[in-house]
């Protein structure tokens, strides 16, 4: 298992703050995420649900899209994901694929508000992503 790195607790804190802004009135399952880029900038996101349930966007994708919209498209150093539960979060398959587009080897830091921690890699979570290179 990977170790937590320097700055990971900061990233978890930012993800936890974002989590408080989640819009999850239907599932009540609030998720926060924060990505740190190689240029040491942090972008965060929370899950945003909709009365038309299928339109919901996960926290991880909100965070990645915020980074990309700010021009930070290359290689994230780490992404933290936080929930308030007695077990660790695990990013859904769609989010794994979206993260892989920009950072196939990124470190993934899983955390709970209660203090559980686990560090892993996107490679471990999604060993064979479909990448831009597959199109050429
Ligand atoms: N959710 C996330 O934000 N990230 C994931 O990786 C899994 C699921 C959200 C979507 C929905 O708002 C709620 O959690 C329950 O599925």
């Amino acid at each position: 298992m990977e170790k937590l790195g320097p700055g990971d607790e900061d990233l978890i804190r930012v993800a936890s703050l974002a989590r408080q802004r989640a819009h999850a009135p239907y599932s009540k399952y609030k998720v926060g995420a924060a990505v740190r880029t190689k240029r040491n900038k942090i972008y965060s996101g929370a899950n945003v649900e909709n009365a038309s349930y299928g339109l919901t966007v996960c926290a991880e994708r909100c965070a990645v899209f915020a980074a990309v919209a700010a021009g930070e498209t290359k290689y994230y150093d780490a992404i933290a994901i936080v929930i308030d539960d007695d077990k660790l979060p695990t990013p859904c398959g769609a989010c794994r694929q979206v993260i892989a587009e920009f950072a196939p080897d990124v470190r993934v830091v899983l955390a709970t508000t209660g203090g559980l921690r686990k560090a892993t890699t996107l490679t471990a979570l999604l060993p064979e992503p479909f990448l831009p290179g597959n199109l050429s």
Side-chain angles (χ1 to χ4, degrees):
M1 198 197 297
E2 307 273 321
K3 286 197 174 127
L4 258 66
D8 282 354
E9 287 298 333
D10 286 344
L11 203 59
I12 291 168
R13 249 188 303 280
V14 175
S16 299
L17 283 174
R19 185 191 157 274
Q20 291 173 11
R21 297 188 288 269
H23 177 71
Y26 309 107
S27 73
K28 317 277 189 218
Y29 186 82
K30 293 185 168 192
V31 186
V35 294
R36 185 174 56 233
T37 69
K38 292 278 187 198
R39 287 164 51 192
N40 213 26
K41 291 196 153 203
I42 294 179
Y43 298 87
S44 63
N47 52 329
V48 181
E49 299 184 347
N50 192 276
S52 177
Y53 297 166
L55 302 183
T56 293
V57 180
C58 294
E60 297 89 328
R61 272 178 284 161
C62 284
V64 169
F65 293 162
V68 173
E72 297 268 342
T73 56
K74 290 290 173 204
Y75 290 96
Y76 305 129
D77 178 58
I79 178 165
I81 304 162
V82 179
I83 58 171
D84 179 27
D85 203 351
D86 56 8
K87 56 185 177 302
L88 288 162
T90 184
C92 79
C95 288
R96 293 176 196 205
Q97 175 64 30
V98 165
I99 296 165
E101 173 85 6
F102 303 102
D105 55 358
V106 73
R107 294 175 53 255
V108 180
V109 179
L110 306 170
T112 68
T113 55
L116 294 180
R117 304 284 185 263
K118 179 182 173 183
T120 182
T121 63
L122 193 65
T123 310
L125 294 173
L126 186 66
E128 295 187 28
F130 183 78
L131 293 176
N134 292 104
L135 291 171
S136 57

